[in-house]
Amino acid sequence: MITTALLMLLGLLALSLPVAVVLALTGYVLSERFAFFPMTGAAGELAWNSSNDFILIALPMFIMMGELMHRSGVSERLFSALAPWFARVPGRLMHTNIAASAVFAATSGSSFATAATIGTVATPNMDAGGYNRPLFLGSIAAGGTLGILIPPSINMIIYAVLTDTSVADLYAAGFIPGFMLATLFSGIILALVLWRPHWGGKPVGDVSLWPERIAGLPHLLPPLGLFMVVVGSIYAGIATPTEAAALGLIATVGLVAANRKLSLPVLLAAFEGTVRTTCMIMLIVIAAFFLNFVMVSIGLVAAITDAVLALGWPPLGMLLAIVAFYLLLGCFMETLSMMIATTPIIVPVVTGLGYSPVWWGVVFVILIEAALITPPVGMNLYIVQAVRKGGGPFSDLFKGAAPFLVAMLAMIAILIAFPQLALWLPTILNPKTGG
């Protein structure tokens, strides 16, 4: 049964079929082959129940926030406001890429939106500033991954739905590791530029930067304000995550209108992008729920969990094997598909080893981040290459992303050694979360 399911998944994915089709077909075959009664009759009810979860309503609203932010000019002003603060730091605009990505991530919830937006703004400065191309591009691709770790995060909402975990706990758990990872990214840049000073761009003159810094402060307020509206309303007890998404979208529309960017073409483009992304995600979610229902019903999930635990490996050894599995899988599988297809199988194993599902959610998201910059299917690499001004070899992205992949592995090691970095805030805000 386990072998049949694995071969089905890998074989259908190898045929390049849409992921939703792969999940649904696998569920259908397993149902017909191993179930005591046909389960396809329950598909309609499962489709309704899986898409009727209140928390999923937040998805299109967070997606539209990112779409509107991308088109409103907020990112350009954010980047310009942050640049003077890092002008004296070795690496200069590369640190700005990371900082701008972290701030934008705290409003968009999307890695793709973050990478595309910051990449569009930053890449014109790459050659003019004399920066090392691979490292500069790598900082944008890696910075973009922060969009799914720093709350609010679309991927964490999906993980919460699949595992019946609190979104508020996941958001709280991702806050400290998210900004720690951003700091590690900047640390990698600083170390490499100190080692190779000419990679860090042209030196800045002796002019005072304080007038620029102070003048740019107002442009930092809108994204920080959106972050407070969304995340602050959740932890203040004012709104649920779904209601917070609605408040954030209303605030974003108001911000776009205040910037005089709210027009019919902008709204139509944002609507189209939101519908496309939402439909893709929901089709995969519905198919994944059907597959999960079949696997639980025929005892496959329990069989996999028992088989893994029967190996007798220590929890740490098993956890490291799972991490290695995801690092390898991330090289060949799109991240959302990987998340939805494997979560129902792996999470019971991880919790069976004694680890918190909230803590694992943070580690899992970092593994997904690693997949976003791991060739040959690292989507953020393709996004940055697409918005790159003037073109250039794709190999620049591979080289530039490698140091940041090391930082992600270091962050995972830190979380394994010190799990309270992820669990401290959730435990304070919700004592029932525990360890």
Side-chain angles (χ1 to χ4, degrees):
M1 184 165 57
I2 297 175
T3 304
T4 301
L6 183 61
L7 291 177
M8 277 284 297
L9 277 173
L10 295 179
L12 293 174
L13 287 171
L15 294 175
S16 298
L17 292 175
V19 174
V21 174
V22 171
L23 298 178
L25 280 177
T26 303
Y28 173 76
V29 171
L30 291 177
S31 170
E32 294 296 314
R33 176 70 176 82
F34 298 105
F36 293 107
F37 58 92
M39 296 184 182
T40 51
E45 185 177 354
L46 284 170
W48 170 254
N49 290 337
S50 61
S51 58
N52 195 34
D53 195 314
F54 182 64
I55 189 62
L56 286 176
I57 301 174
L59 281 179
M61 289 187 284
F62 280 133
I63 292 168
M64 188 159 182
M65 280 180 64
E67 291 282 342
L68 288 173
M69 289 280 288
H70 179 53
R71 293 169 170 82
S72 66
V74 172
S75 54
E76 289 88 343
R77 288 185 286 275
L78 170 64
F79 191 87
S80 299
L82 288 171
W85 293 94
F86 298 98
R88 303 292 186 195
V89 182
R92 297 174 186 86
L93 282 185
M94 289 186 281
H95 297 286
T96 306
N97 294 342
I98 301 299
S101 295
V103 176
F104 191 84
T107 59
S108 71
S110 166
S111 172
F112 298 159
T114 303
T117 302
I118 303 303
T120 301
V121 177
T123 50
N125 300 293
M126 178 174 62
D127 291 332
Y131 294 94
N132 176 265
R133 287 186 176 185
L135 188 60
F136 193 94
L137 295 170
S139 69
I140 300 171
T145 66
L146 297 171
I148 59 174
L149 182 57
I150 297 175
S153 165
I154 293 172
N155 290 66
M156 283 187 174
I157 291 177
I158 297 172
Y159 176 87
V161 171
L162 293 174
T163 61
D164 195 24
T165 307
S166 165
V167 174
D169 286 347
L170 287 168
Y171 279 3
F175 190 80
I176 293 176
F179 285 101
M180 282 186 65
L181 186 58
T183 302
L184 283 176
F185 285 167
S186 279
I188 287 283
I189 294 170
L190 182 62
L192 290 174
V193 171
L194 290 176
W195 177 51
R196 291 286 190 269
H198 60 282
W199 288 1
K202 299 174 183 177
V204 179
D206 294 330
V207 296
S208 174
L209 295 170
W210 282 106
E212 287 184 65
R213 291 170 177 170
I214 294 172
L217 289 178
H219 299 311
L220 299 177
L221 296 179
L224 294 177
L226 289 177
F227 176 79
M228 291 305 299
V229 167
V230 175
V231 178
S233 63
I234 294 174
Y235 295 111
I238 300 172
T240 65
T242 300
E243 292 165 346
L247 292 174
L249 179 56
I250 292 171
T252 304
V253 172
L255 177 62
V256 175
N259 290 331
R260 298 182 180 180
K261 297 289 185 178
L262 191 62
S263 62
L264 185 59
V266 167
L267 284 175
L268 290 177
F271 289 153
E272 181 180 356
T274 300
V275 170
R276 285 178 181 273
T277 305
T278 303
C279 288
M280 176 195 71
I281 292 174
M282 287 308 304
L283 189 60
I284 296 174
V285 167
I286 291 170
F289 264 86
F290 173 67
L291 176 60
N292 190 35
F293 171 75
V294 172
M295 291 193 302
V296 171
S297 300
I298 66 178
L300 180 59
V301 172
I304 293 174
T305 303
D306 293 341
V308 171
L309 296 178
L311 293 174
W313 291 8
L316 179 58
M318 185 62 67
L319 180 67
L320 293 177
I322 293 173
V323 169
F325 164 74
Y326 274 115
L327 289 173
L328 179 62
L329 188 64
C331 294
F332 305 101
M333 194 172 182
E334 190 271 326
T335 53
L336 182 62
S337 310
M338 179 175 72
M339 181 179 194
I340 293 177
T342 62
T343 292
I345 300 172
I346 296 297
V347 170
V349 175
V350 172
T351 54
L353 295 171
Y355 294 101
S356 163
V358 173
W359 172 86
W360 171 249
V362 176
V363 174
F364 189 24
V365 166
I366 296 175
L367 288 168
I368 292 174
E369 287 183 321
L372 287 170
I373 60 171
T374 305
V377 191
M379 289 303 298
N380 273 24
L381 303 181
Y382 291 97
I383 289 172
V384 175
Q385 179 69 5
V387 301
R388 178 181 181 180
K389 302 297 183 182
F394 195 53
S395 58
D396 285 349
L397 276 300
F398 294 165
K399 297 174 187 175
F404 300 99
L405 182 61
V406 173
M408 291 178 181
L409 296 178
M411 189 68 240
I412 292 173
I414 291 170
L415 285 172
I416 292 174
F418 306 101
Q420 285 303 314
L421 286 173
L423 294 175
W424 178 64
L425 275 180
T427 303
I428 290 176
L429 296 170
N430 181 13
K432 293 181 181 180
T433 302

